[in-house]
Amino acid sequence: RGWCRFEIRISSVVKHKNNLWDLSRYAGAAELYGCARQMKARRPPPMSPNQVAREIRDGVSSGELAFTASADMDLVLTQYCEGFERAISAYRETAGTKVDRISYGGVRVGHG
């Protein structure tokens, strides 16, 4: 489930708040906006690449996380670092605009 952990962590950084869904919250909605209302997830605050690397490496060492191919761990850590850096760069470019206010777990952060 190492890839799942990566997807949770990277989506908290790069996904728009309306595009992060928790499928376990699906309650039968038949149209897109109903699904969005039912399954909209609260995203956890983003973690630094070092924190994610420690979490994933510790998880693999303890047996809590696993990858089908052992090389995948290094791949997801590289992808997370690159995605995190791109997201932070994009955030800096929008500082002071409405775009730079983000909500994590119901708490709004950012300028303005």
Side-chain angles (χ1 to χ4, degrees):
R1 306 215 54 135
W3 275 97
C4 295
R5 182 69 55 92
F6 162 76
E7 290 169 0
I8 289 167
R9 294 296 178 218
I10 197 66
S11 66
S12 75
V13 176
V14 300
K15 289 274 187 190
H16 184 276
K17 66 180 182 177
N18 293 329
N19 296 336
L20 184 60
W21 293 5
D22 178 350
L23 298 179
S24 70
R25 298 179 66 190
Y26 178 68
E31 41 84 35
L32 179 64
Y33 295 107
C35 287
R37 281 191 303 277
Q38 284 178 359
M39 296 185 290
K40 183 178 174 182
R42 288 186 166 188
R43 60 174 139 196
M47 294 173 69
S48 75
N50 288 339
Q51 290 172 305
V52 170
R54 184 173 33 255
E55 177 185 58
I56 289 178
R57 285 190 176 111
D58 289 351
V60 169
S61 292
S62 72
E64 173 195 356
L65 297 176
F67 291 93
T68 304
S70 60
D72 284 355
M73 182 176 75
D74 292 330
L75 176 65
V76 300
L77 296 178
T78 299
Q79 287 183 341
Y80 184 86
C81 186
E82 290 173 0
F84 184 88
E85 289 173 359
R86 277 195 306 269
I88 294 302
S89 293
Y91 175 81
R92 287 183 181 135
E93 291 173 12
T94 62
T97 69
K98 289 182 180 179
V99 175
D100 79 343
R101 290 186 300 252
I102 303 170
S103 177
Y104 292 101
V107 177
R108 291 186 64 86
V109 296
H111 299 65

